[in-house]
Amino acid sequence: MNTKEIVDCAMGRIKSDIVLLNGQLVNVYTKEIIEADIAISKDRIVHVGKNTNDLIGENTRVIDIEESIICPGLIESHVHIESSMLTLSRFTEAIVPHGTTTAVIDPHELANVAGMEGLEILVNEARNSPISYLIELPSCVPSLPGFETPGSTIDSEQVKQLIIRDEFFALAEMMNYPGVFLGLEEVMTKIDATKKAGKIIEGHAPLLKEKELQAYVAAGISSDHEATTFEEVLEKLRLGMKLQVREGSFAKDLGNILQNLDESKIDTRNILIASDDRNPIDLIEKGHLNYTYRKMVQLGMNPIEAIQMMTLNTATHLGLEKEIGGIAPGKRADIIVVNNLEEFNIKMVFAKGEVLFENGKLAFPIQEKKFPDFILDTLSKLEVPTIEKLMIKVNSQNYVNVRVIGVSEHSLITEKLEAELQVQDTFVIPDIENDILPVVVLNRHTKEEKIGKGFVKGLGLKHGAIASTVAHDSHQLICTGSNYELMLKAIEALKESHGGLVVVTIDNITILPLKFAGIMSTGKIEDVVRLNKELNNALNTLNPAISESFMALAFLALPVIPHLKITDHGLIDVDAFEKVNPIIEE
Amino acid sequence: MNTKEIVDCAMGRIKSDIVLLNGQLVNVYTKEIIEADIAISKDRIVHVGKNTNDLIGENTRVIDIEESIICPGLIESHVHIESSMLTLSRFTEAIVPHGTTTAVIDPHELANVAGMEGLEILVNEARNSPISYLIELPSCVPSLPGFETPGSTIDSEQVKQLIIRDEFFALAEMMNYPGVFLGLEEVMTKIDATKKAGKIIEGHAPLLKEKELQAYVAAGISSDHEATTFEEVLEKLRLGMKLQVREGSFAKDLGNILQNLDESKIDTRNILIASDDRNPIDLIEKGHLNYTYRKMVQLGMNPIEAIQMMTLNTATHLGLEKEIGGIAPGKRADIIVVNNLEEFNIKMVFAKGEVLFENGKLAFPIQEKKFPDFILDTLSKLEVPTIEKLMIKVNSQNYVNVRVIGVSEHSLITEKLEAELQVQDTFVIPDIENDILPVVVLNRHTKEEKIGKGFVKGLGLKHGAIASTVAHDSHQLICTGSNYELMLKAIEALKESHGGLVVVTIDNITILPLKFAGIMSTGKIEDVVRLNKELNNALNTLNPAISESFMALAFLALPVIPHLKITDHGLIDVDAFEKVNPIIEE
């Protein structure tokens, strides 16, 4: 709407489309609850007060919300939608019932697999979405150049070209924080290009502090979602950073941080909320930011302050305060109606002035998306290898000492272990009794046959194999198991399903297909959750030693987290940043 | 500095220019006072903490500030520098000692006299200023087209052309609020052009409320500095407006508003501070925002919250939070050092990394500015009229009834009065006994002789005349007095001095010359203040009935404030928006 039109609507010269009567408005600007009616014309709020009489015409939909709470649509400040295993449209269907009307997404995983071609698909989906997606340009693709076969590379030259495009809202989390404080040219170029484009640079700076943190902030990086303690939060807030307190499916920092926040009496305007990742089961069973809100209030936080952290504070950080983050005349009509501030049950969701959710149901048309063929078979270049190619061959000996990746519960950090293994017919034999399992990573991004091989301890799988094409960040195919035959079956199954997660037992193959780039399903969240549960049931028949075997497996391949990892290039000693031989030479 | 350079400075690979040791930092982000050292490299802050050792080299200036308070440079959110009667460079000299390092200025008065040619002079001066000026494009020049001879016009077509220029930061206060809610095309076009340029639109909406206020806000106008009561503040804040609490030389709204603010416990992030106008005497004797700060604290406000209102809150409103408003790595080094939070005596001022004030003295070179000739004689087109032309001629009668502008203390609003006056030789004779004085407004902007004539009651001048080329908003020449001879002398004096304020008694002519556009001096503040005091002394010998005769006179000419005003076109009935005859026809 141009200004004339919106003014005419506000004055009642043009009647409103929708009027909500008798609301209790969460005023995030003043931190009050006030009585208000809301008038909506097209995608805009045109009145917030008690003078809507003149605005109601015969075609106005008038809804008496009977003292329900009116709240700005919730804004997700940082999420990788890939962890939901859903495409953008399916993700939208999943989060709208929870009151999210804007989400800042970093499509880092998709970019690692499918590069700009993949991102274009996302950009197109976002453009037609009933809610708002702010798509960030991934800053670190691949995470560690030279140590794996990347699905794609976005270098500083490409960042220069891409960051000026309207579709890219910001430069996504700058994970290469050493590259920042060391002043590496490639990193500096990406940052300078983003600043020149007038866009924000999001951060990722776990445990960074003192001089290095100051350099990171001085570089112009404005946010962080990696702080896990209040002390870390406070140091970063004091430097003017926007602090995204994270409550995801994996990392749950809220409790730790909120505990001390209230006592501190500090200004909370620079605190935002981020999910970072949300798995499909949590999304359907717990919710999204509405779940986080409830948890915050249970932890004793002031409800309006909690809402500010997922609305106004985020909008201000994003430079979108004129558009979203609060309910005021002229702002976009992104509004949720909830029963009360304790239960926070979502009754209605409006985005861009449209009703998207009411009476417990989605109210927008769901279209089956057509995707280009290439994105639905990103394993096409992978040839299933012979079983011998999965095995490690040595010169004739009876025993060898090998390097072993040590996995433990609830940690992405692995240990560097060693073990003595038998050799038979020049092949190294895993020691299942002692939980020394083979693990392989297969290149699926190019035609070049590349198989990284090693051993892992801690997963405890005894009678089966698991494999996944979700393997951070390049998302090659990673596989482990109690014997090579079952592992080969797992690899074959993923090749056939065009990617996904699979559990292979002696009798059964249970698969969660993830056709879209090998990391996301094209199905609905209900189907993904059902298949996910079946997969978990199958996994449990293998008596795994840890609770999140697939999560642990996925992160075995990420060579930027200490200490020993594996890519399609082989074992990587992350501390030394060098490739190492699984066999320890005497 | 590019990112590499700033990172190198933050890491100590390049040593800092200045390090402040042992400060007590006002952290506006967290609302805390914390111990901190500050390192500055070129125009940037590169460290805020206690790890400056590595940053100090042999050429670093290290200053132990011995527990003094470190505070972000103060930001003036809205001021017309014309009311200081100083040119921009002289204004800078006047405000730097008070800790102001950024000022948003609306050169509305200058634009009314000298249009874009005048603004270009200002833009050039601002470009070379040691502090930062954000120049707004005046939105309402002239204030009421058609009722006076304007010095200049900035119409919507010109706004379209000008608002895209980098030099114009925003569209200045949209005073034509009826034009907004009525949806007038000219106003709508200006607003749409500003939005398209991605710039902000500042507001001016005295007493506007309910539906009309909502329309004004819906139009995208984001601020207001005209609220005078807490109720008005609250209504506007609730609609998401940025509320500039005004404490100027004329309008003083702080006390009224703060009284209720504290109790209300509302969020104060959207409250800013503005001076609007600051006369030279107040500037030198009381100060600028530092004076307002002291008053706020005396009124019981939390000192950090007061500072937020003149730093971070303003920067956020302006969309400049990345640059200014707080002290953090990467931000511009706009810093003030004050003795303590009670007295708030300014010890040092840094702007863009340069020391501008220390040891009680300005520390930057003061250059005499050269201005183009035309701006130093904007009365060149005015011919001094004959005395008869100042008088009102009627057909032969003995008495006539006349309309009289009624002036009262401390109000810009005038009354519509009437009086019976004698006629001698066809000329209407003022009634000095009853304080019915003649008042005339002479066109000085074009060669056309235009003299508006009328009568005024309430000024109480008995034995002299005063005249001024400060006459809002078009700044024609306005003159009143106890007889036409002295008035003519006053007009002649102003013609000769190229503008200013003048007091003429039977024996003396006392003048404050304002050569620059007829509204500002090119002299130093000390000289302007001295001349101003001499002028006031001369004025006092006339026993004026009100305390601010020149202020009252200046606003007699502003035809947008009720009820009866006078321009060079004649008397204006502001309520009817029509020209009226000073003589009431029977």
Side-chain angles (χ1 to χ4, degrees), chain B residues 50-66:
Chain B
K50 295 304 271 182
N51 307 99
T52 48
N53 277 353
D54 295 352
L55 310 192
I56 297 174
E58 53 184 14
N59 296 319
T60 306
R61 180 179 173 196
V62 179
I63 309 170
D64 184 345
I65 61 166
E66 299 169 336

mmCIF file of all heavy atoms in Angstrom, chain B residues 50-66:
data_model
loop_
_atom_site.group_PDB
_atom_site.id
_atom_site.type_symbol
_atom_site.label_atom_id
_atom_site.label_comp_id
_atom_site.label_asym_id
_atom_site.label_seq_id
_atom_site.Cartn_x
_atom_site.Cartn_y
_atom_site.Cartn_z
ATOM 1 N N LYS B 50 39.850 -4.650 29.972
ATOM 2 C CA LYS B 50 41.022 -4.477 30.820
ATOM 3 C C LYS B 50 42.236 -5.188 30.226
ATOM 4 O O LYS B 50 43.125 -5.627 30.947
ATOM 5 C CB LYS B 50 40.727 -5.017 32.234
ATOM 6 C CG LYS B 50 39.645 -4.249 32.986
ATOM 7 C CD LYS B 50 39.911 -2.748 33.139
ATOM 8 C CE LYS B 50 40.702 -2.362 34.371
ATOM 9 N NZ LYS B 50 40.863 -0.880 34.470
ATOM 10 N N ASN B 51 42.274 -5.284 28.900
ATOM 11 C CA ASN B 51 43.400 -5.976 28.263
ATOM 12 C C ASN B 51 44.103 -5.070 27.262
ATOM 13 O O ASN B 51 44.399 -5.470 26.133
ATOM 14 C CB ASN B 51 42.919 -7.237 27.525
ATOM 15 C CG ASN B 51 42.113 -8.140 28.429
ATOM 16 O OD1 ASN B 51 40.906 -8.114 28.398
ATOM 17 N ND2 ASN B 51 42.791 -8.928 29.230
ATOM 18 N N THR B 52 44.371 -3.847 27.649
ATOM 19 C CA THR B 52 44.952 -2.902 26.680
ATOM 20 C C THR B 52 46.481 -2.967 26.604
ATOM 21 O O THR B 52 47.063 -2.301 25.749
ATOM 22 C CB THR B 52 44.532 -1.453 27.010
ATOM 23 O OG1 THR B 52 44.754 -1.227 28.394
ATOM 24 C CG2 THR B 52 43.090 -1.192 26.664
ATOM 25 N N ASN B 53 47.098 -3.781 27.472
ATOM 26 C CA ASN B 53 48.574 -3.833 27.472
ATOM 27 C C ASN B 53 49.189 -4.013 26.088
ATOM 28 O O ASN B 53 50.079 -3.265 25.699
ATOM 29 C CB ASN B 53 49.071 -4.968 28.375
ATOM 30 C CG ASN B 53 49.116 -4.499 29.827
ATOM 31 O OD1 ASN B 53 48.899 -3.313 30.099
ATOM 32 N ND2 ASN B 53 49.361 -5.429 30.734
ATOM 33 N N ASP B 54 48.684 -4.989 25.375
ATOM 34 C CA ASP B 54 49.250 -5.290 24.050
ATOM 35 C C ASP B 54 48.985 -4.183 23.034
ATOM 36 O O ASP B 54 49.557 -4.181 21.951
ATOM 37 C CB ASP B 54 48.616 -6.560 23.468
ATOM 38 C CG ASP B 54 48.959 -7.775 24.280
ATOM 39 O OD1 ASP B 54 49.809 -7.656 25.189
ATOM 40 O OD2 ASP B 54 48.368 -8.836 24.004
ATOM 41 N N LEU B 55 48.069 -3.301 23.360
ATOM 42 C CA LEU B 55 47.657 -2.310 22.361
ATOM 43 C C LEU B 55 48.462 -1.018 22.451
ATOM 44 O O LEU B 55 48.349 -0.143 21.607
ATOM 45 C CB LEU B 55 46.162 -1.985 22.523
ATOM 46 C CG LEU B 55 45.183 -3.162 22.596
ATOM 47 C CD1 LEU B 55 43.751 -2.660 22.463
ATOM 48 C CD2 LEU B 55 45.458 -4.200 21.527
ATOM 49 N N ILE B 56 49.246 -0.919 23.513
ATOM 50 C CA ILE B 56 49.983 0.318 23.749
ATOM 51 C C ILE B 56 51.376 0.230 23.140
ATOM 52 O O ILE B 56 52.144 -0.681 23.439
ATOM 53 C CB ILE B 56 50.070 0.609 25.268
ATOM 54 C CG1 ILE B 56 48.656 0.820 25.828
ATOM 55 C CG2 ILE B 56 50.954 1.825 25.544
ATOM 56 C CD1 ILE B 56 48.575 0.964 27.333
ATOM 57 N N GLY B 57 51.673 1.155 22.244
ATOM 58 C CA GLY B 57 53.000 1.227 21.631
ATOM 59 C C GLY B 57 53.686 2.505 22.051
ATOM 60 O O GLY B 57 53.153 3.279 22.860
ATOM 61 N N GLU B 58 54.824 2.767 21.444
ATOM 62 C CA GLU B 58 55.568 3.943 21.917
ATOM 63 C C GLU B 58 54.910 5.264 21.492
ATOM 64 O O GLU B 58 55.137 6.290 22.114
ATOM 65 C CB GLU B 58 57.026 3.887 21.462
ATOM 66 C CG GLU B 58 57.190 3.691 19.966
ATOM 67 C CD GLU B 58 58.669 3.553 19.591
ATOM 68 O OE1 GLU B 58 59.489 3.344 20.512
ATOM 69 O OE2 GLU B 58 58.964 3.663 18.392
ATOM 70 N N ASN B 59 54.081 5.192 20.435
ATOM 71 C CA ASN B 59 53.407 6.421 20.003
ATOM 72 C C ASN B 59 51.980 6.555 20.527
ATOM 73 O O ASN B 59 51.252 7.454 20.141
ATOM 74 C CB ASN B 59 53.391 6.484 18.478
ATOM 75 C CG ASN B 59 54.796 6.591 17.924
ATOM 76 O OD1 ASN B 59 55.634 7.318 18.468
ATOM 77 N ND2 ASN B 59 55.075 5.838 16.869
ATOM 78 N N THR B 60 51.595 5.622 21.371
ATOM 79 C CA THR B 60 50.246 5.685 21.919
ATOM 80 C C THR B 60 50.178 6.768 22.997
ATOM 81 O O THR B 60 51.045 6.832 23.871
ATOM 82 C CB THR B 60 49.860 4.334 22.559
ATOM 83 O OG1 THR B 60 50.058 3.304 21.587
ATOM 84 C CG2 THR B 60 48.424 4.330 23.041
ATOM 85 N N ARG B 61 49.151 7.596 22.910
ATOM 86 C CA ARG B 61 48.930 8.551 23.996
ATOM 87 C C ARG B 61 48.112 7.843 25.079
ATOM 88 O O ARG B 61 46.967 7.468 24.858
ATOM 89 C CB ARG B 61 48.172 9.787 23.471
ATOM 90 C CG ARG B 61 47.922 10.800 24.566
ATOM 91 C CD ARG B 61 47.201 12.056 24.107
ATOM 92 N NE ARG B 61 46.879 12.858 25.285
ATOM 93 C CZ ARG B 61 45.998 13.856 25.315
ATOM 94 N NH1 ARG B 61 45.365 14.202 24.203
ATOM 95 N NH2 ARG B 61 45.767 14.511 26.426
ATOM 96 N N VAL B 62 48.723 7.648 26.227
ATOM 97 C CA VAL B 62 48.048 6.951 27.322
ATOM 98 C C VAL B 62 47.592 7.988 28.343
ATOM 99 O O VAL B 62 48.375 8.808 28.802
ATOM 100 C CB VAL B 62 48.994 5.927 27.980
ATOM 101 C CG1 VAL B 62 48.294 5.219 29.136
ATOM 102 C CG2 VAL B 62 49.474 4.913 26.949
ATOM 103 N N ILE B 63 46.294 7.963 28.647
ATOM 104 C CA ILE B 63 45.731 8.955 29.567
ATOM 105 C C ILE B 63 45.088 8.234 30.739
ATOM 106 O O ILE B 63 44.146 7.461 30.553
ATOM 107 C CB ILE B 63 44.648 9.815 28.844
ATOM 108 C CG1 ILE B 63 45.196 10.381 27.526
ATOM 109 C CG2 ILE B 63 44.154 10.939 29.762
ATOM 110 C CD1 ILE B 63 44.124 11.021 26.643
ATOM 111 N N ASP B 64 45.613 8.455 31.926
ATOM 112 C CA ASP B 64 44.988 7.882 33.114
ATOM 113 C C ASP B 64 43.858 8.821 33.529
ATOM 114 O O ASP B 64 44.101 9.939 33.969
ATOM 115 C CB ASP B 64 46.025 7.758 34.235
ATOM 116 C CG ASP B 64 45.440 7.062 35.458
ATOM 117 O OD1 ASP B 64 44.194 6.945 35.547
ATOM 118 O OD2 ASP B 64 46.228 6.641 36.324
ATOM 119 N N ILE B 65 42.634 8.369 33.397
ATOM 120 C CA ILE B 65 41.515 9.278 33.708
ATOM 121 C C ILE B 65 41.013 9.093 35.136
ATOM 122 O O ILE B 65 39.999 9.682 35.531
ATOM 123 C CB ILE B 65 40.363 9.166 32.681
ATOM 124 C CG1 ILE B 65 39.798 7.757 32.665
ATOM 125 C CG2 ILE B 65 40.810 9.606 31.306
ATOM 126 C CD1 ILE B 65 38.471 7.687 31.929
ATOM 127 N N GLU B 66 41.708 8.287 35.890
ATOM 128 C CA GLU B 66 41.531 8.225 37.359
ATOM 129 C C GLU B 66 40.080 8.086 37.794
ATOM 130 O O GLU B 66 39.554 8.915 38.539
ATOM 131 C CB GLU B 66 42.152 9.489 37.995
ATOM 132 C CG GLU B 66 43.630 9.615 37.730
ATOM 133 C CD GLU B 66 44.180 10.977 38.117
ATOM 134 O OE1 GLU B 66 43.392 11.945 38.149
ATOM 135 O OE2 GLU B 66 45.387 11.074 38.380
#
